[in-house]
Amino acid sequence: MLTLRTGRLTRVFTLFTFAVVAMLGTSLQAADFPPVDQLPSNPELPDPLVMFDGTPVTSKSQWINERRPELKALIQHYMYGYLPQPTTISATVHRESNELFGGKATRKEVTIQFGPKGTPPFSLLVVLPRNAKKPVPCFVGLNFCGNHTTLDDPAIALPESWYRGRCPGCEDFRATDAGRGKESHVWNIEMIIDRGYGVAMFYYGDVDPDKDGGDFTDGVHPHFFKPGQTEPGKHDWGAVAAWAYAVHRAIDYLETDKNIDSKRIGVVGHSRLGKATILAAALDERIALAIPLQAGCGGTAPSRGKVGEPVER
């Protein structure tokens, strides 16, 4: 078992989230942000290189130290909720093998435990080139249907949490062996290995089950409530933020793997997991590249118009 502690300042913001920017005051205190119905109307997309008070951003240091913190506070306050501070994680390695793809790759599953006592863990599937001569870059991915669907490998554990109904092999919202390998064509892990990269991924339902109706009674959220709290606060983190937070905790572990180049970690996700990919990269300097696939309104597309998920959703 490996125990890690993290506490780095975050330094990365992606351009994709600029569509939610509004012209506000200079304070970063949540109490100073106006209610939504009092925000000034701005029919045009705002300029990301202009501060809340109208001051133009003219230097790298001004961007890093002034503008970026404004934007990070803004997207959390009005859209995704505030992520908790990083927590200690513990990582337990299971089911290791050196024989994947005819011996070209190694495979292991890592149970990542984080947060207050009782917080459900998630299972990180890590696949790396076997005979690489130096640490390899690694893609971190979130999947909709479980690690077992990404490889036709009977040794990979099935998710034990709620399972998405439209996923292959789902029976009564539980994963079954019938889904094994059914999405291997989506992830193309062998091709990634052949190109010299590694892959680390987890099932998003392990972190927060993606049920309709905003159900926060399961998953990680209740375990982060303050004493006496029974439901999320108005600006507490939502589902997308929880998935992004789990990406950060996965990277906590990957930084300890001597076979991974921790300076070259990219994150990838599709649709609402594309939104989680963007948010994870925006709030963690360790992520060198974000690849959001069709992340939609509020993700790779502006939060304006009539198509896609609105900010409220």
Side-chain angles (χ1 to χ4, degrees), residues 49 56-60 62-63:
L49 298 180
V57 177
T58 58
S59 68
K60 179 179 179 180
Q62 189 181 8
W63 167 261

Side-chain angles (χ1 to χ4, degrees), residues 187-198:
W187 289 92
N188 292 300
I189 295 178
E190 185 171 10
M191 180 184 70
I192 295 171
I193 293 297
D194 288 342
R195 293 293 297 272
Y197 298 95

Side-chain angles (χ1 to χ4, degrees), residues 16 85 95 149-150 152 155 157 185 209 244-245 304:
F16 300 119
Q85 291 298 311
R95 291 175 284 277
T149 65
T150 66
D152 189 9
H185 64 288
Y245 187 82
R304 303 180 186 220

Side-chain angles (χ1 to χ4, degrees), residues 58-260:
T58 58
S59 68
K60 179 179 179 180
S61 63
Q62 189 181 8
W63 167 261
I64 291 173
N65 298 314
E66 299 178 46
R67 181 56 171 157
R68 187 169 55 190
E70 286 185 335
L71 293 170
K72 292 197 295 185
L74 182 71
I75 61 174
Q76 290 180 91
H77 183 83
Y78 285 112
M79 191 162 187
Y80 292 117
Y82 290 95
L83 277 66
Q85 291 298 311
T87 66
T88 300
I89 73 164
S90 64
T92 307
V93 178
H94 310 276
R95 291 175 284 277
E96 294 183 87
S97 172
N98 293 324
E99 302 304 323
L100 190 62
F101 304 133
K104 290 191 297 185
T106 64
R107 181 260 297 146
K108 60 185 173 183
E109 292 177 81
V110 186
T111 299
I112 306 291
Q113 185 76 59
F114 66 97
K117 184 178 181 181
T119 303
F122 64 92
S123 180
L124 186 70
L125 176 65
V126 181
V127 182
L128 301 174
R130 183 177 180 185
N131 296 316
K133 296 181 180 180
K134 60 182 180 179
V136 300
C138 186
F139 293 105
V140 179
L142 304 90
N143 64 62
F144 282 112
C145 292
N147 298 335
H148 69 291
T149 65
T150 66
L151 287 171
D152 189 9
D153 186 340
I156 297 175
L158 298 175
E160 297 181 358
S161 57
W162 168 92
Y163 194 60
R164 192 178 183 183
R166 71 184 75 172
C167 287
C170 179
E171 294 183 8
D172 195 25
F173 299 102
R174 294 293 174 184
T176 70
D177 287 323
R180 291 192 180 278
K182 290 297 191 294
E183 295 201 335
S184 58
H185 64 288
V186 174
W187 289 92
N188 292 300
I189 295 178
E190 185 171 10
M191 180 184 70
I192 295 171
I193 293 297
D194 288 342
R195 293 293 297 272
Y197 298 95
V199 179
M201 67 174 69
F202 62 90
Y203 170 55
Y204 80 142
D206 280 351
V207 178
D208 183 50
D210 192 13
K211 300 176 182 177
D212 292 333
D215 182 359
F216 291 105
T217 61
D218 50 13
V220 302
H221 294 93
H223 302 278
F224 285 82
F225 286 167
K226 299 177 178 66
Q229 185 178 4
T230 59
E231 60 183 25
K234 187 175 182 179
H235 298 287
D236 285 350
W237 57 334
V240 171
W243 300 326
Y245 187 82
V247 170
H248 298 164
R249 305 289 73 78
I251 294 173
D252 291 345
Y253 167 74
L254 297 177
E255 285 189 307
T256 72
D257 192 321
K258 61 181 177 58
N259 296 307
I260 293 175

